[in-house]
Amino acid sequence: MTTPRLTDRQALIRNRARTRDDALFLHDAAIEETEARLAMVKRTFTAPLIVGPQAERWAAALGLQARCIADDEVLDVVEGAHDLVIHAMALHWASDPVGQIIQSRRALRPDGLFLATLFGGQTLHELRAALAAAETEITAGLSPRVAPMAEIRDLGGLLQRAGLALPVADCDRLTVTYATPLHLMRELRAMGEGNALDHRLRRPTRRAVLTRAAEIYTERFALPDGRVPATFEIVHLSGWAPDASQPQPLRPGSATHRLADALGAAETPLKD
């Protein structure tokens, strides 16, 4: 049985080939946050790996002598070769995100650190709603146009499924404003984030659909100054390759002190 593909890899590669450096400000924001997180880890990483379409940009900005590879479905990695793996703004396009994280974990040495940044489920919710309403109104149908990005609560579970210890998932939400929705659509193409869904419509979108989508977007979301906002949710994931030196959870029922005593509070037993 063939697993359904989320992404048309050839279309994704073509889209990324049209990326402009001046449109990569979201990568730069994610790099800045990743740098801050690495600064909190009191460790020098000697064998880092960066996965993603802008891996070299990330390595240069973070000052890492890192091996840089593409986010192919099968990652070009050697088991246990790295003490740090950064999956950089690519996991939202993975047809098998758990598989990508598992491969990253296998590339780590024991107690190696995995970090990932990706777009989360609230990303472009305004554009998603406007396109869906316009297409339904004009064509009486609906086709996939924006990748179905995962919610943060689900992404945290992926880390555990992949076998990483001490998993953490959190996010930043950025709002960027544009003169018109069409300006946003053009910038998405310049970011390399155009529609590369495997089940996308394989012919040009009707002009009437795009025009109506822009109208709906403006009607619903325009700011007082006439500009339109676009939400980008950047999710940050972290976890560690398991190692005996890491903190381990206590066995249930093994506590030797009562929480009520520590808090100086009266304990009220619950009724059966």
Side-chain angles (χ1 to χ4, degrees):
M1 184 174 178
T2 303
T3 302
R5 290 196 312 168
L6 170 71
T7 304
D8 177 347
R9 293 293 302 179
Q10 292 306 310
L12 183 62
I13 291 169
R14 288 196 302 270
N15 289 348
R16 288 173 171 176
R18 294 192 287 266
T19 299
R20 294 199 325 260
D21 280 350
D22 61 353
L24 294 176
F25 60 92
L26 293 172
H27 274 267
D28 294 338
I31 289 169
E32 185 176 349
E33 180 61 28
T34 299
E35 185 174 29
R37 290 165 188 259
L38 285 173
M40 292 188 290
V41 179
K42 304 303 182 184
R43 181 179 301 185
T44 299
F45 295 102
T46 58
L49 170 73
I50 302 180
V51 182
Q54 299 295 327
E56 290 81 4
R57 183 188 188 95
W58 279 66
L62 294 171
L64 295 174
Q65 296 294 319
R67 182 164 183 253
C68 299
I69 64 170
D71 57 312
D72 296 326
E73 292 182 3
V74 178
L75 298 180
D76 181 18
V77 294
V78 175
E79 187 169 350
H82 302 281
D83 54 3
L84 170 67
V85 173
I86 300 175
H87 208 296
M89 295 293 280
L91 204 54
H92 53 280
W93 281 117
S95 293
D96 180 13
V98 176
Q100 288 279 301
I101 300 175
I102 289 173
Q103 291 179 76
S104 298
R105 176 182 60 78
R106 288 175 177 168
L108 285 168
R109 301 167 184 168
D111 205 32
L113 176 61
F114 171 77
L115 297 175
T117 60
L118 66 154
F119 289 126
Q122 294 304 304
T123 297
L124 298 175
H125 70 84
E126 306 94 342
L127 180 61
R128 195 190 312 267
L131 284 169
E135 190 169 21
T136 301
E137 178 183 314
I138 292 173
T139 70
L142 193 60
S143 60
R145 295 185 178 277
V146 181
M149 301 165 195
E151 298 294 336
I152 186 170
R153 61 180 177 272
D154 301 319
L155 290 167
L158 297 186
L159 297 171
Q160 293 177 307
R161 287 177 59 190
L164 288 164
L166 308 174
V168 176
D170 62 287
C171 70
D172 295 320
R173 192 170 296 178
L174 307 177
T175 300
V176 184
T177 64
Y178 294 88
T180 70
L182 296 178
H183 284 81
L184 164 62
M185 295 178 200
R186 283 196 289 269
E187 183 143 79
L188 289 174
R189 287 194 292 270
M191 292 178 187
E193 295 292 340
N195 189 353
L197 293 172
D198 193 54
H199 295 292
R200 72 191 184 281
L201 191 68
R202 299 299 179 114
R203 60 179 183 273
T205 300
R206 290 167 55 177
R207 180 180 295 274
V209 172
L210 293 178
T211 300
R212 181 60 182 140
E215 292 171 352
I216 292 171
Y217 199 126
T218 303
E219 290 165 4
R220 294 185 183 180
F221 302 109
L223 300 173
D225 63 0
R227 293 177 68 84
V228 295
T231 299
F232 294 94
E233 183 180 54
I234 301 178
V235 176
H236 304 276
L237 305 178
S238 66
W240 295 83
D243 185 70
S245 66
Q246 294 165 349
Q248 303 296 320
L250 294 175
R251 181 172 48 83
S254 63
T256 58
H257 300 281
R258 297 166 63 249
L259 180 61
D261 293 339
L263 297 176
E267 184 176 8
T268 303
L270 296 176
K271 295 181 180 180
D272 294 335

